[in-house]
Amino acid sequence: MEKTTMTLDIVQTKNIFEPGNTAAWDFLMSFAYPWEALPQINEFILELGATLDESEYEHPSSDVWIHKTATVAPTAFIGSAVIIGAETEVRHCAFIRNSALVGSNAVIGNSTELKNVILFNGVQVPHFNYVGDSILGYKSHMGAGSITSNVKSDSSLVTVSFGDERIETGMKKFGAILGDRVEIGCNSVLNPGSVIGSDTNIYPLSSVRGFVPAKSIYKRQGEVVEKY
């Protein structure tokens, strides 16, 4: 029982992210585990958007707010319930479907798709990325072609795994949680329920599943070494 309690503590919201660096901080801290916030992102964005300063944000539709210092390519698609922060760049053919809170100084790149996500300040998803039902911490970066897979192939409910241990999330759609300053290598797949601790590097072409500790290097499944 003690081992399980320690395991659960590792993936609590307060231990995954450093304080601040997102307008959603207080919202996230109302949940013990970050994935519990996923079903309520849409509602939170609508509530937050209604409080934003009209002198700082463009409001092109009833549920979209774009900071006046952000750059959005004319070919980008902006769906519903979207907030884009200051100095963020949304590039050619980005596809922001719905329910996306994008922080400041972020990059949403060409052919990148976002759906039901919170991206902290400084996040970069610059090339051919899919990020769905996920939360990406401060200055995390996804290499070209890396994606979150948010539904299991058998459509069963997603669990978060720690070796032989499992946390039942009760959710059908849950991609990944990235801590602060996580680096995801090119063409990697983050399988449903992946939780990656801060300052961790994932090798290119990886297939990641379950929990990866902070300050580590993920070489392949079963081979994770301490970074420093």
Side-chain angles (χ1 to χ4, degrees):
M1 181 64 68
E2 181 179 357
K3 181 180 179 182
T4 300
T5 300
M6 291 176 63
T7 299
L8 293 175
D9 288 345
I10 292 172
V11 293
Q12 286 186 344
T13 308
K14 63 183 180 182
N15 294 323
I16 291 289
F17 309 108
E18 296 173 358
N21 297 312
T22 175
W25 181 251
D26 290 341
F27 167 69
L28 291 174
M29 285 302 296
S30 68
F31 301 95
Y33 304 105
W35 55 83
E36 294 174 334
L38 295 175
Q40 298 186 40
I41 288 176
N42 181 277
E43 181 181 357
F44 169 72
I45 289 172
L46 297 179
E47 291 177 354
L48 176 61
T51 70
L52 297 176
D53 189 339
E54 293 182 1
S55 69
E56 296 183 8
Y57 285 82
E58 301 285 353
H59 192 28
S61 63
S62 62
D63 56 1
V64 173
W65 297 265
I66 301 173
H67 199 278
K68 292 181 178 179
T69 63
T71 302
V72 179
T75 52
F77 176 88
I78 309 294
S80 60
V82 174
I83 297 174
I84 297 173
E87 305 293 342
T88 283
E89 181 181 1
V90 181
R91 294 175 178 169
H92 174 67
C93 288
F95 181 28
I96 304 180
R97 280 170 55 185
N98 64 280
S99 306
L101 172 59
V102 181
S104 62
N105 296 291
V107 175
I108 313 302
N110 60 299
S111 303
T112 290
E113 179 178 350
L114 303 181
K115 174 256 182 186
N116 199 51
V117 295
I118 294 174
L119 273 55
F120 279 47
N121 300 340
V123 167
Q124 294 190 3
V125 282
H127 309 288
F128 308 105
N129 307 113
Y130 173 70
V131 186
D133 301 286
S134 299
I135 301 172
L136 276 54
Y138 177 61
K139 286 191 174 180
S140 59
H141 171 262
M142 296 186 66
S146 60
I147 66 167
T148 65
S149 173
N150 58 338
V151 179
K152 295 176 68 174
S153 59
D154 62 1
S155 297
S156 61
L157 298 181
V158 177
T159 61
V160 177
S161 61
F162 300 76
D164 294 332
E165 299 181 40
R166 300 287 187 275
I167 299 176
E168 302 289 340
T169 70
M171 303 172 65
K172 184 177 179 180
K173 293 187 176 182
F174 166 19
I177 306 293
L178 306 189
D180 302 323
R181 299 172 299 275
V182 167
E183 290 282 343
I184 305 297
C186 295
N187 290 320
S188 292
V189 176
L190 306 180
N191 287 285
S194 295
V195 179
I196 301 173
S198 295
D199 299 297
T200 284
N201 289 57
I202 306 296
Y203 269 18
L205 299 174
S206 293
S207 178
V208 181
R209 188 178 306 278
F211 174 67
V212 182
K215 298 180 180 178
S216 62
I217 299 173
Y218 182 102
K219 298 184 176 182
R220 61 181 62 87
Q221 192 72 28
E223 187 177 356
V224 180
V225 298
E226 291 186 14
K227 195 173 182 181
Y228 47 77

